[in-house]
Amino acid sequence: MSDLETFRAETRAWLEANCPPEMREPVRDDEDVYWGGRRATFKNAAQKAWFEACVAKGYTVPAWPKEYGGAGLSPAEAKVLREEMSRINARPPLSSFGIWMLGPALLQFGTEGQKARFLNEIARGEIRWCQGYSEPGSGSDLVSLQTFGEDEGDHWVVNGQKIWTSYADQADWIFCLVRTDKNDKYKGITFMLYDMASEGVTTKPILLISGNSPFCETFFDNVKVPKSYGEDCPAYVGEVNRGWDVAKYLLGHEREMISGAGGGERSAAIGAMMKRHAAKLGDDLDPVLRAELAMFDVDALAYTAMGEKFLDEIKVGKAHPAQPNMMKYVGTELNKRRHELMMAVGGSRSLEWESEETGGGKPARGWLRTKANSIEGGTSEVMLNVISKRILDLPGA
Amino acid sequence: MPLYHNEDQAMLADTAAGFMAEEGNIAKQLRHWRDRNCKDGFGHGFWKQMAEMGFTGMLVDEADGGLGMGHVEAGIVLEEIGRNLTPSPFLTSSVLAATALKAGSDDLKGRYLPGLIAGDAVFAVAIDETAKHRPSRIATRAEKSGNGFRLTGSKSFVIHGGSADMIVVAARTSGSDEDADGITLFAVPKDAAGMSHDSVRLVDSSMATHTKFDGVELDGDAVIGEIDGGRVVLEAMLLAGRVGAAAEGVGVARGAMDMTVDYLKQRKQFGKLIGEFQALQHRASHLYSEVEIARAVTIKAQQLLDAGSEQADLMASVAKAKVARAARLAVQEGVQLHGGIGMTDEYDIGLYMKRDRALAEFLGDAFFHANRVAQLSGY
Ligand SMILES: Cc1cc2nc3c(=O)[nH]c(=O)nc-3n(C[C@H](O)[C@H](O)[C@H](O)COP(=O)(O)OP(=O)(O)OC[C@H]3O[C@@H](n4cnc5c(N)ncnc54)[C@H](O)[C@@H]3O)c2cc1C
Ligand SMILES: Cc1cc2nc3c(=O)[nH]c(=O)nc-3n(C[C@H](O)[C@H](O)[C@H](O)COP(=O)(O)OP(=O)(O)OC[C@H]3O[C@@H](n4cnc5c(N)ncnc54)[C@H](O)[C@@H]3O)c2cc1C
């Protein structure tokens, strides 16, 4: 057996022994997702057991080095683990912006001290992070952001407002883009890390069209941010005033994550499931709806292959650096189409907003939530702008 | 297996790209033969050159004198054929017929493969009987007659039928028209008495025939594979052909897209390069995304086919459907974004539009394959 086959066999056995049956059921709502953090509670014993087993094995962040809480898996091994987990529909043991966004940025730009502290905290689910990028006047044009940090020697005093900060009210820390030089648009932003419990930080939840309120307005009123958290552990990533490089790098990972390129339900075909769903509702698929589902499945399965190719190419540095933008554009538009079709199959049942049968309006709320996919992390239009400029090299893009 | 070309494949891609651009380009092949009203629609000299490059027998087993390569490799050549709109019998001979002959007797292989490998022989396949691809329904009949068979019926859309030295014909040896079983494949030689061709030029300048079999007498040794058990050979041939046609379609799409993106960087209107208009940038970027995805799933299908995976059949239909749609978008945007000159015969972009139309129809269009994806998925 090759090393990889041995690894697959071991992984399969380990998952068999450690992933409880409840953790192999599809995620139904946000409570099924474990986000970690100071205030986190487990929904049930199975969620706890699965999480703890993964922490011990380094499988909350399998590709990170062991000294930072990962399992140090090679890209090929990580792919095997992904495949084996999806084979049994294992849920992710831990979801967090720390894993998807801050972690990769720290691995790339962080100091040893930052990595040792923050990456381990993320891997063990101890600290839940939120992302302070967008402001009321700075969405797509993020670099125009105004939140300002006044340099007071050993600390900054931060004033300003962020908006659309996902889970700001539940997060422990924030990674935040703060202007530290008003004279240089690109080279005047610092990528700061600070505690949401700091004095002067307030959050105000915003209600979404889905009726849920997972994001907030976040206000900073004379927040004191120390420049250092100890030896080799500055409060900023990269250099002061060069946070834009970090921000952009992180956006690449965010876009990859939102694109669903790593597989999972975001890229799966749905036709067969929809036929069963229709049958449960006592109906059959309209021929034209069936045809649309078939066209959708063609696109979804093709996109899955693209996701695989993209990840394979990233590993060996073959992927175009701007390719995550393409993946995000297509993946999110596809996800919106998926939910439009699911709503159509569900008919009037899927319109129910609160009923028990729909688990409190899951189909409708889920459908509405997907509309944000092509906005959050950079809109579809912005993705197309980036492809035009960086991949197609079109003039003036 | 990672979903990109390995080193050998990347080298082959370079070689194939260089050769096709040099020898198989539009001026030297497609326009040349079209403008001379060539009855075969391609150049036999070029087919010989493809043999010298080692392309013609790439899917043929080494034991039979070929290169024993896979569909990823054949796809590499096909993508360049597509990009250059190169007319050649590669897809019907080296992919479809060569795949069918894998199931043939040593005698059949000995009779036909050396000619293919040398670039002397051209093969065609006769499957469709109506204007649409419906391989589940085969009405052409082959009845037992002496030691052999008598073939009666008619086939359509036989690409290269008029110039083929041998045609692989799917016929019914038992059962009724819609039965899955009871199909037999025959290698029908050019000079078979009772076979007649009505040659037609298609929109893309390729040549096809409506072929009639009027009591064509065939020896028993013309049978490819098992009598009545030809469905498996037919399926294998279709699978290889669909994946191959998808690869060629990727080339067509990429060729049209590259030409169009280049044009956006040259043409000025309103005092600007038209590529500066965001409306066109977004269309180009959307097109880029679709073409990249179509290419990815085509390589996926090739790899699955080479690995003998059960998933190959589904993924072949996904690829054929996806490519058909992406290439259609590429040629439509191509002509539109070229403006008036896109409508002229002098510009090549219109040739891409024509080729896409014919290629997408071959072995099942996007609707056929999307429907097949649904059926294979259980709905
Ligand atoms: C559910 C959700 C969660 C989010 N979570 C976070 C978070 O945790 N942290 C955070 O910082 N932000 C978050 N965001 C904010 C998100 O990043 C922004 O909404 C996004 O960047 C778009 O900015 P905007 O909303 O200001 O829209 P605008 O930038 O005002 O865009 C309005 C419209 O104009 C289009 N447009 C803008 N510029 C161009 C252009 N140059 N060319 C063509 N079209 C253009 C856009 O595509 C869009 O359709 C979240 C958003 C959502 C919906
Ligand atoms: C069959 C045919 C018959 C014709 N007959 C006549 C005739 O009898 N008399 C006559 O005078 N003309 C005639 N025309 C010419 C026709 O009016 C022009 O082709 C048309 O106006 C487009 O101009 P163009 O071809 O130069 O394309 P271009 O203007 O170069 O356009 C190229 C592409 O860029 C796009 N584009 C250009 N500007 C912008 C912009 N600002 N924003 C976004 N996209 C842009 C276009 O939509 C097009 O897709 C004919 C054309 C055809 C094809």
Side-chain angles (χ1 to χ4, degrees), chain B residues 333-361:
Chain B
E333 294 292 59
V335 169
Q336 175 64 20
L337 301 189
H338 274 77
I341 60 158
M343 291 300 298
T344 63
D345 184 69
E346 191 190 334
Y347 258 70
D348 289 341
I349 192 70
L351 300 175
Y352 281 89
M353 179 170 269
K354 296 180 190 181
R355 180 61 189 143
D356 162 63
R357 193 80 231 178
L359 186 59
E361 196 63 43

Side-chain angles (χ1 to χ4, degrees), chain A residues 195-216:
Chain A
D195 197 323
M196 289 291 279
S198 308
E199 201 170 322
V201 179
T202 47
T203 59
K204 193 169 146 227
I206 306 169
L207 201 60
L208 286 178
I209 50 175
S210 63
N212 303 340
S213 80
F215 61 19
C216 298

Side-chain angles (χ1 to χ4, degrees), chain A residues 271-272 275 290 293-294 297 299 305 308-309 312 316 318 323 326 329-330 381 384-385 388 391-393 395 397, chain B residues 2-4 265 275-276 278 281-282 284-286 288-289 292-293 296 300 318 322 325 370-371 374 377-379:
Chain A
K275 185 185 166 76
R290 175 188 177 274
L293 285 165
D297 280 356
D299 286 335
E308 191 184 333
K309 181 162 180 279
D312 285 344
V316 291
K318 264 177 188 274
Q323 201 75 318
M326 184 278 252
Y329 164 63
V330 180
E381 292 73 25
L384 291 170
N385 288 347
S388 300
I391 299 183
L392 299 181
D393 194 25
Chain B
L3 211 46
Y4 50 78
K265 297 174 186 176
E276 292 180 57
Q278 194 183 49
Q281 291 178 345
H282 282 193
S285 294
H286 174 71
Y288 164 81
S289 309
E292 278 286 289
I293 293 166
K300 180 77 191 174
V318 173
K322 182 73 194 180
R325 304 231 294 172
N371 186 45
S377 308
Y379 67 98

Side-chain angles (χ1 to χ4, degrees), chain A residues 131 133-134 139-140 164 166 215 372 375-377 379 381 385, chain B residues 278:
Chain A
Q131 177 188 32
Y133 275 32
S134 305
S140 297
W164 323 130
S166 295
F215 61 19
I375 299 170
E376 59 198 322
T379 68
E381 292 73 25
N385 288 347
Chain B
Q278 194 183 49

Side-chain angles (χ1 to χ4, degrees), chain A residues 216-230:
Chain A
C216 298
E217 287 180 279
T218 307
F219 301 92
F220 307 120
D221 184 15
N222 287 320
V223 177
K224 200 173 151 186
V225 178
K227 287 191 178 167
S228 167
Y229 297 118

